[in-house]
Amino acid sequence: MTENIPPCPKCSCAYTYEMDALVVCPECGHEWVPQAVEAEADGERVVRDAVGNVLADGDSVTVVKALKVKGSASGIKAGTKVRGIRLIEPVDGHDIDCKVDGFGALRLKSSLVKKV
């Protein structure tokens, strides 16, 4: 167990505790990964998926919600697996560039995917 557990970044509570890889605040219920908070503090852009996992280039993700795509008769179904994502600077909220098997290249929002 780590000797110096950081205080909660939301409410500054000092009574935080570790639970597996997360640090949890008992007062506000906020959960976070300490290394990700340090990266955000250093000015690095951190992209998170729909459940809060940190995404990186080359990760595999699953679409969590059925998506309608302009110019296509069929959209992308929930549960579709996307391999080898590439993180980009946000364009209209879309911050993932990828190729979907059987569909082609497109951009996704990180809030609509979950890390596998």
Side-chain angles (χ1 to χ4, degrees):
M1 191 171 211
T2 307
E3 299 274 332
N4 299 325
I5 300 174
C8 178
K10 280 196 172 180
C11 69
S12 301
C13 172
Y15 301 110
T16 57
Y17 60 92
E18 290 182 336
M19 183 171 62
D20 297 324
L22 297 174
V23 178
V24 181
C25 176
E27 289 186 6
C28 69
H30 180 62
E31 298 176 346
W32 73 97
V33 178
Q35 294 83 8
V37 172
E38 291 171 8
E40 289 173 356
D42 293 340
E44 296 177 26
R45 188 172 73 91
V46 177
V47 178
R48 297 182 182 275
D49 66 1
V51 294
N53 298 321
V54 177
L55 297 173
D57 286 342
D59 283 345
S60 294
V61 295
T62 303
V63 177
V64 296
K65 179 181 174 183
L67 304 173
K68 294 180 184 175
V69 180
K70 288 183 181 177
S72 171
S74 63
I76 298 174
K77 295 180 182 179
T80 302
K81 191 170 183 179
V82 180
R83 289 183 284 266
I85 65 168
R86 199 178 90 216
L87 301 177
I88 59 173
E89 289 299 318
V91 177
D92 295 328
H94 299 83
D95 48 7
I96 296 175
D97 195 24
C98 62
K99 288 185 181 178
V100 178
D101 292 338
F103 195 82
L106 64 123
R107 292 185 177 152
L108 296 172
K109 294 182 179 183
S110 58
S111 61
L112 298 175
V113 299
K114 183 175 112 178
K115 190 173 182 177
V116 177

